[in-house]
Amino acid sequence: MHYVKAKGILSAQNGMNLYRGCSHGCIYCDSRSKCYHIDHAFEDIEVKENALELLEHTLKHKRQKCMIGTGSMTDPYIPLEMELGYVRRTLELIDKYGFGFAVQTKSDRILRDIDLLQKINQKTKCVVQMTLTTADEELCAKLEPNVCTTQKRFEVLKKLRDVDIPTVVWLDPILPFINDTEENILGLLDMCVEAKVYGIICFGMGLTLREGNREYFYKQLDKLFPGMKEKYIHTYGNQYEVNSPKNAELMRLFHERCDVHGIVHDNKQIFRYLHTFEEKERAEQLSLWDL
């Protein structure tokens, strides 16, 4: 861990990363790509020491309320968060100033903050996005070694369902020749149905590889799935988009199952939902005038 002073905290789309780098160890992690310019060791977490001051100043002076997002580059619920508490204090600020919140994670540590997530969701909208890749617990422990397995994430989704916090699942990535099976996709979709998720984001059955994350991924394949790296190189060369040979049939299955169970599966519609601020108390007050 090391500290840096940040110049700003929110992106043009109102997203933020309190930390840079990650300790989850997911073998496919796109954030390792060199294009993101993380110039320190990836597991040496960079902490934006002035993030909370920057965020409070920004929220105070924003002309319009909006959704604030986090988790797109670095999972905010890495173990270090339990020591530093930056995310929890961020939630307190978002609640204080009446903004909405959208978070993406793989960790059941998010349940520590369920009280604040509920408070935000009562006034506006709080959406928890959870990544699911495999219904096989042993395989999950290989693909995502330092974070809770799928079953625990499923339990998180159900607990959030029970307190009316909306959820979105990222079905991503699906690794060719590893977890691109009908059995796996159906297993994950069954979890989404039971947890009553709002929507599922899926860009296709595959993954992306580029300089930085490709090398790390291949190194892990050599360690965990001997001979698989050679199969990838033979099949895909240096392609950026690495699609499963079963992509068409699995995507058809995915869309059909979502339609049957009323789960939103249009990526653009879900992203609009994630970025749309809703002021519930105001909406309820207006509706009273219609009585």
Side-chain angles (χ1 to χ4, degrees):
M1 178 191 74
H2 64 280
Y3 287 96
V4 298
K5 286 271 190 183
K7 294 181 179 178
I9 191 62
L10 292 184
S11 70
Q13 296 297 314
N14 297 306
M16 63 179 174
N17 287 293
L18 302 167
Y19 309 117
R20 274 168 55 88
C22 188
S23 53
H24 285 347
C26 304
I27 71 170
Y28 49 75
C29 181
D30 176 67
S31 295
R32 291 179 182 271
S33 300
K34 288 192 174 180
C35 61
Y36 298 122
H37 304 292
I38 295 181
D39 300 322
H40 52 86
F42 195 71
E43 291 77 13
D44 176 19
I45 311 300
E46 181 178 282
V47 180
K48 297 177 181 178
E49 63 178 336
N50 58 334
L52 296 165
E53 292 86 352
L54 288 172
L55 180 62
E56 181 158 27
H57 180 269
T58 302
L59 297 183
K60 270 184 180 179
H61 294 88
K62 263 194 174 294
R63 293 183 178 180
Q64 288 187 318
K65 299 288 172 54
C66 63
M67 297 293 288
I68 305 296
T70 193
S72 62
M73 276 288 294
T74 295
D75 193 318
Y77 286 99
I78 53 178
L80 186 62
E81 164 58 22
M82 307 309 280
E83 175 187 336
L84 298 182
Y86 274 40
V87 177
R88 184 162 182 87
R89 284 184 282 168
T90 290
L91 289 170
E92 290 170 345
L93 290 173
I94 289 171
D95 176 52
K96 176 181 176 181
Y97 291 102
F99 285 75
F101 187 60
V103 58
Q104 187 175 347
T105 185
K106 293 186 178 85
S107 177
D108 59 351
R109 296 186 187 96
I110 193 171
L111 292 177
R112 179 201 64 180
D113 296 332
I114 196 167
D115 58 329
L116 287 169
L117 300 176
Q118 285 181 270
K119 283 184 70 177
I120 294 168
N121 196 54
Q122 285 165 1
K123 289 187 287 189
T124 171
K125 185 167 66 184
C126 178
V127 187
V128 175
Q129 304 159 74
M130 186 70 70
T131 299
L132 302 180
T133 59
T134 176
D136 183 319
E137 291 290 273
E138 290 185 8
L139 180 58
C140 183
K142 289 182 178 180
L143 302 183
E144 301 148 346
N146 303 323
V147 67
C148 70
T149 58
T150 303
Q151 188 60 40
K152 288 188 177 180
R153 296 177 217 174
F154 177 42
E155 295 302 322
V156 171
L157 290 171
K158 289 191 290 182
K159 286 178 181 177
L160 295 171
R161 172 203 65 193
D162 292 343
V163 295
D164 297 320
I165 293 175
T167 55
V168 166
V169 160
W170 286 70
L171 195 68
D172 173 63
I174 303 300
L175 309 179
F177 318 122
I178 295 175
N179 62 338
D180 60 338
T181 66
E182 181 174 319
E183 178 185 14
N184 183 48
I185 301 305
L186 288 175
L188 294 173
L189 292 176
D190 285 346
M191 292 180 188
C192 293
V193 170
E194 185 174 342
K196 296 183 179 180
V197 305
Y198 167 83
I200 303 175
I201 294 171
C202 181
F203 292 100
M205 303 295 168
L207 77 159
T208 57
L209 292 176
R210 49 189 161 189
E211 187 180 5
N213 79 314
R214 176 184 283 108
E215 291 78 5
Y216 185 80
F217 179 62
Y218 282 170
K219 182 180 177 182
Q220 299 310 307
L221 288 185
D222 275 340
K223 192 184 305 181
L224 299 167
F225 307 97
M228 188 63 73
K229 178 183 76 174
E230 288 72 24
K231 189 170 185 177
Y232 268 72
I233 292 171
H234 175 75
T235 306
Y236 302 108
N238 284 323
Q239 288 177 210
Y240 168 61
E241 293 187 2
V242 177
N243 292 320
S244 166
K246 303 174 185 176
N247 180 64
E249 61 189 88
L250 292 177
M251 287 302 292
R252 184 167 54 251
L253 175 68
F254 163 69
H255 288 302
E256 288 174 355
R257 188 57 63 98
C258 287
D259 278 334
V260 168
H261 293 284
I263 296 173
V264 178
H265 52 105
D266 178 272
N267 292 343
K268 290 182 180 178
Q269 182 180 346
I270 296 172
F271 285 124
R272 280 197 301 272
Y273 173 74
L274 291 171
H275 285 94
T276 301
F277 177 78
E278 300 172 10
E279 197 164 18
K280 291 181 182 176
E281 288 183 349
R282 175 65 175 162
E284 288 170 3
Q285 290 168 2
L286 291 173
S287 67
L288 289 173
W289 288 101
D290 297 330
L291 296 177

